[in-house]
Amino acid sequence: DDRRLFAGCYEVLEALGTGAKAQVFHAYDRVGRRHVALKVLGERGRESAEERQRLANEAQVLVSVKHAALPEFIYGNLDERPFVVMSLAPGRPAIEFCLAGSTLRPAEVIAVGLQVARALVELHAKGVLHRDVNAANVLVDRGAETRATLIDFGMAELTPRFYEVVDPRYLTPPERRVALGTGGLESLEWTAPEARAGEGWSGKCDVFSLGIVMFRALTGKMPFERGAPEGSAARPVLEVAPRCPRGLALAIDAALAVDPAMRPDAAGLVEELEVVAAELAAVEGAVSEHEG
């Protein structure tokens, strides 16, 4: 019955995530004959001009920034019931691997960190700050090769640079370039100290948040002691996971530096993780050769 299809062609199969103002579904596109992710504003979201603009911004980001670790924009509509259709990313939320007994192997953490950091390099170059990088917004597919996807750009900030470098066809009209609120991001545990202190956001805030995802996926623990004073340093990775490759531990420690001046940007984190990945591959190759 076509009347039961969302927007006339999307067969809703299951809910992937439900928030206060939007829902994301796994759907099947009857026209394109493919599985997709369908993000739809709920009643509260539809009534909010800010939430409608956030959805529009999310679509603009995915249209203008292409990367293997980001969803692909397929279709969007901002009329009576606003929605965006994206490619369906494989894997499960990284939060499922952040508990003791279900953590990722060091090589997997490196792969996840590298892919997300490379995506952040592209986003930051286009003037996009994700601002909500967390273990629920990073999907991890543990297939033959570990694959990571950064999702949910509902809280992204489009800086002035975005409007300078993206294709003019995708530009928001000047009258719609409104500053959106932060939605309480400053209070979240994965937010960088400088943003929590009200000092604003930068690309290094995203790096800090990615550092928390990597720390948790490696150790099954949070990097900060419960009840620690605001601005306290993270626990060193090797203190929590002494068997972790030293290079990986130092890269995560650097990403979690309280002082942003001591923290690498996304490109710097990519460089560090590439060195660690090469070192680990060399060690594993030598072990395999010896065992052979």
Side-chain angles (χ1 to χ4, degrees):
D1 187 347
D2 289 348
R3 291 174 300 176
R4 300 182 60 184
L5 298 177
F6 185 88
C9 64
Y10 299 107
E11 179 183 352
V12 176
L13 302 177
E14 63 177 328
L16 297 176
T18 301
K21 299 174 182 176
Q23 287 182 293
V24 181
F25 300 97
H26 171 196
Y28 184 74
D29 179 356
R30 291 277 187 90
V31 175
R33 296 184 180 276
R34 55 186 166 183
H35 290 268
V36 298
L38 171 67
K39 185 170 186 176
V40 185
L41 288 189
E43 184 175 351
R44 288 180 59 189
R46 294 196 299 272
E47 295 174 350
S48 168
E50 181 169 309
E51 293 306 316
R52 295 173 75 95
Q53 187 60 52
R54 288 191 192 283
L55 189 69
N57 287 356
E58 183 162 10
Q60 285 193 78
V61 169
L62 297 181
V63 165
S64 57
V65 186
K66 307 293 185 183
H67 191 274
L70 299 176
E72 177 188 357
F73 173 85
I74 296 174
Y75 181 71
N77 190 312
L78 297 176
D79 291 337
E80 184 177 349
R81 191 173 185 188
F83 68 93
V84 170
V85 182
M86 302 161 280
S87 58
L88 183 66
R92 295 148 53 193
I95 196 168
E96 295 186 20
F97 307 109
C98 292
L99 299 174
S102 63
T103 54
L104 301 179
R105 299 186 299 274
E108 293 176 310
V109 174
I110 294 170
V112 170
L114 261 176
Q115 291 171 65
V116 175
R118 286 169 176 158
L120 289 176
V121 169
E122 296 298 318
L123 289 164
H124 297 165
K126 290 288 181 67
V128 179
L129 305 178
H130 189 284
R131 302 198 302 179
D132 198 17
V133 179
N134 67 73
N137 287 341
V138 174
L139 301 182
V140 179
D141 181 24
R142 305 177 82 181
E145 294 186 2
T146 304
R147 178 178 173 185
T149 308
L150 178 62
I151 63 172
D152 196 348
F153 289 80
M155 300 306 296
E157 177 182 349
L158 307 186
T159 70
R161 178 172 177 78
F162 179 80
Y163 300 105
E164 296 171 0
V165 300
V166 300
D167 189 316
R169 290 175 297 174
Y170 306 134
L171 287 178
T172 301
E175 67 273 13
R176 292 181 58 189
R177 298 180 194 176
V178 295
L180 300 177
T182 63
L185 288 171
E186 292 87 354
S187 65
L188 301 179
E189 60 186 357
W190 52 80
T191 296
E194 62 273 23
R196 290 174 66 93
E199 298 173 6
W201 300 79
S202 72
K204 289 190 175 184
C205 294
D206 286 342
V207 170
F208 181 91
S209 298
L210 175 56
I212 290 184
V213 174
M214 296 174 66
F215 188 105
R216 295 183 66 188
L218 178 72
T219 68
K221 301 177 181 179
M222 288 294 293
F224 301 96
E225 296 283 1
R226 186 178 298 276
E230 189 73 27
S232 297
R235 291 180 288 180
V237 172
L238 290 176
E239 179 181 298
V240 183
R243 295 186 177 181
C244 172
R246 181 175 175 80
L248 174 58
L250 293 178
I252 296 176
D253 288 344
L256 292 174
V258 172
D259 182 356
M262 303 300 294
R263 192 186 311 151
D265 60 11
L269 181 59
V270 167
E271 291 179 4
E272 292 184 32
L273 291 175
E274 285 178 339
V275 171
V276 177
E279 292 175 347
L280 187 59
V283 170
E284 292 178 345
V287 170
S288 298
E289 183 176 340
H290 176 72
E291 291 177 347

